[in-house]
mmCIF file of all heavy atoms in Angstrom:
data_model
loop_
_atom_site.group_PDB
_atom_site.id
_atom_site.type_symbol
_atom_site.label_atom_id
_atom_site.label_comp_id
_atom_site.label_asym_id
_atom_site.label_seq_id
_atom_site.Cartn_x
_atom_site.Cartn_y
_atom_site.Cartn_z
ATOM 1 N N ILE A 7 -2.757 8.193 -1.665
ATOM 2 C CA ILE A 7 -3.815 8.658 -0.768
ATOM 3 C C ILE A 7 -4.834 9.437 -1.600
ATOM 4 O O ILE A 7 -4.488 10.436 -2.229
ATOM 5 C CB ILE A 7 -3.264 9.556 0.352
ATOM 6 C CG1 ILE A 7 -2.254 8.797 1.216
ATOM 7 C CG2 ILE A 7 -4.389 10.083 1.222
ATOM 8 C CD1 ILE A 7 -1.731 9.599 2.387
ATOM 9 N N GLN A 53 15.239 -6.315 17.158
ATOM 10 C CA GLN A 53 15.741 -7.529 17.806
ATOM 11 C C GLN A 53 17.108 -7.916 17.266
ATOM 12 O O GLN A 53 18.039 -8.218 18.026
ATOM 13 C CB GLN A 53 14.759 -8.692 17.571
ATOM 14 C CG GLN A 53 13.577 -8.747 18.498
ATOM 15 C CD GLN A 53 12.745 -10.003 18.254
ATOM 16 O OE1 GLN A 53 12.298 -10.256 17.139
ATOM 17 N NE2 GLN A 53 12.541 -10.788 19.292
ATOM 18 N N LEU A 54 17.221 -7.921 15.943
ATOM 19 C CA LEU A 54 18.491 -8.282 15.314
ATOM 20 C C LEU A 54 19.589 -7.292 15.679
ATOM 21 O O LEU A 54 20.727 -7.674 15.948
ATOM 22 C CB LEU A 54 18.335 -8.342 13.788
ATOM 23 C CG LEU A 54 17.574 -9.544 13.229
ATOM 24 C CD1 LEU A 54 17.358 -9.381 11.734
ATOM 25 C CD2 LEU A 54 18.350 -10.829 13.504
ATOM 26 N N SER A 67 10.970 0.529 3.458
ATOM 27 C CA SER A 67 10.070 1.671 3.302
ATOM 28 C C SER A 67 9.110 1.454 2.136
ATOM 29 O O SER A 67 9.294 0.558 1.318
ATOM 30 C CB SER A 67 10.878 2.950 3.073
ATOM 31 O OG SER A 67 11.639 2.832 1.872
ATOM 32 N N GLY A 79 -17.901 14.242 -11.521
ATOM 33 C CA GLY A 79 -17.588 14.620 -12.893
ATOM 34 C C GLY A 79 -16.126 14.483 -13.248
ATOM 35 O O GLY A 79 -15.713 14.849 -14.344
ATOM 36 N N ALA A 161 -9.172 -12.269 -24.813
ATOM 37 C CA ALA A 161 -9.287 -10.873 -24.378
ATOM 38 C C ALA A 161 -10.721 -10.383 -24.511
ATOM 39 O O ALA A 161 -11.228 -9.666 -23.637
ATOM 40 C CB ALA A 161 -8.345 -9.998 -25.191
ATOM 41 N N TYR A 207 -9.309 1.485 3.406
ATOM 42 C CA TYR A 207 -10.128 2.631 3.789
ATOM 43 C C TYR A 207 -9.659 3.185 5.133
ATOM 44 O O TYR A 207 -9.480 2.438 6.099
ATOM 45 C CB TYR A 207 -11.603 2.237 3.885
ATOM 46 C CG TYR A 207 -12.205 1.856 2.556
ATOM 47 C CD1 TYR A 207 -12.591 0.546 2.295
ATOM 48 C CD2 TYR A 207 -12.379 2.812 1.550
ATOM 49 C CE1 TYR A 207 -13.139 0.190 1.072
ATOM 50 C CE2 TYR A 207 -12.920 2.455 0.329
ATOM 51 C CZ TYR A 207 -13.299 1.152 0.088
ATOM 52 O OH TYR A 207 -13.832 0.806 -1.127
ATOM 53 N N LEU A 261 0.714 9.892 23.686
ATOM 54 C CA LEU A 261 -0.117 8.746 23.341
ATOM 55 C C LEU A 261 -0.820 8.179 24.571
ATOM 56 O O LEU A 261 -2.007 7.842 24.532
ATOM 57 C CB LEU A 261 0.738 7.652 22.686
ATOM 58 C CG LEU A 261 1.195 7.923 21.244
ATOM 59 C CD1 LEU A 261 2.274 6.926 20.836
ATOM 60 C CD2 LEU A 261 0.018 7.851 20.281
ATOM 61 N N MET A 264 -3.654 10.261 25.538
ATOM 62 C CA MET A 264 -4.783 10.091 24.618
ATOM 63 C C MET A 264 -5.400 8.694 24.710
ATOM 64 O O MET A 264 -6.396 8.402 24.053
ATOM 65 C CB MET A 264 -4.331 10.347 23.171
ATOM 66 C CG MET A 264 -3.798 11.742 22.899
ATOM 67 S SD MET A 264 -4.996 13.046 23.276
ATOM 68 C CE MET A 264 -6.342 12.621 22.196
ATOM 69 N N VAL A 295 22.609 -4.116 9.592
ATOM 70 C CA VAL A 295 21.399 -4.942 9.677
ATOM 71 C C VAL A 295 20.333 -4.205 8.886
ATOM 72 O O VAL A 295 20.048 -3.035 9.157
ATOM 73 C CB VAL A 295 20.950 -5.145 11.136
ATOM 74 C CG1 VAL A 295 19.560 -5.768 11.181
ATOM 75 C CG2 VAL A 295 21.934 -6.028 11.886
ATOM 76 N N GLU A 325 21.892 -18.693 1.625
ATOM 77 C CA GLU A 325 22.021 -19.251 2.972
ATOM 78 C C GLU A 325 20.945 -18.590 3.829
ATOM 79 O O GLU A 325 20.906 -17.359 3.937
ATOM 80 C CB GLU A 325 23.414 -18.979 3.518
ATOM 81 C CG GLU A 325 24.496 -19.675 2.694
ATOM 82 C CD GLU A 325 25.909 -19.220 3.066
ATOM 83 O OE1 GLU A 325 26.033 -18.271 3.876
ATOM 84 O OE2 GLU A 325 26.869 -19.794 2.530
ATOM 85 N N TYR A 335 19.270 -18.534 19.521
ATOM 86 C CA TYR A 335 20.656 -18.950 19.733
ATOM 87 C C TYR A 335 21.638 -17.781 19.781
ATOM 88 O O TYR A 335 22.794 -17.973 20.162
ATOM 89 C CB TYR A 335 21.063 -19.957 18.651
ATOM 90 C CG TYR A 335 20.177 -21.191 18.668
ATOM 91 C CD1 TYR A 335 19.360 -21.494 17.587
ATOM 92 C CD2 TYR A 335 20.123 -22.023 19.789
ATOM 93 C CE1 TYR A 335 18.520 -22.600 17.592
ATOM 94 C CE2 TYR A 335 19.292 -23.135 19.806
ATOM 95 C CZ TYR A 335 18.492 -23.421 18.707
ATOM 96 O OH TYR A 335 17.662 -24.504 18.735
ATOM 97 N N HIS A 363 21.680 -14.692 3.153
ATOM 98 C CA HIS A 363 22.978 -14.305 2.613
ATOM 99 C C HIS A 363 23.113 -14.984 1.260
ATOM 100 O O HIS A 363 22.896 -16.197 1.139
ATOM 101 C CB HIS A 363 24.113 -14.751 3.547
ATOM 102 C CG HIS A 363 25.470 -14.387 3.034
ATOM 103 N ND1 HIS A 363 25.926 -13.081 2.989
ATOM 104 C CD2 HIS A 363 26.476 -15.154 2.525
ATOM 105 C CE1 HIS A 363 27.153 -13.067 2.490
ATOM 106 N NE2 HIS A 363 27.495 -14.299 2.199
#
Side-chain angles (χ1 to χ4, degrees):
I7 299 183
Q53 278 185 304
L54 286 173
S67 62
Y207 294 112
L261 286 167
M264 299 302 300
V295 169
E325 297 170 353
Y335 301 116
H363 180 70

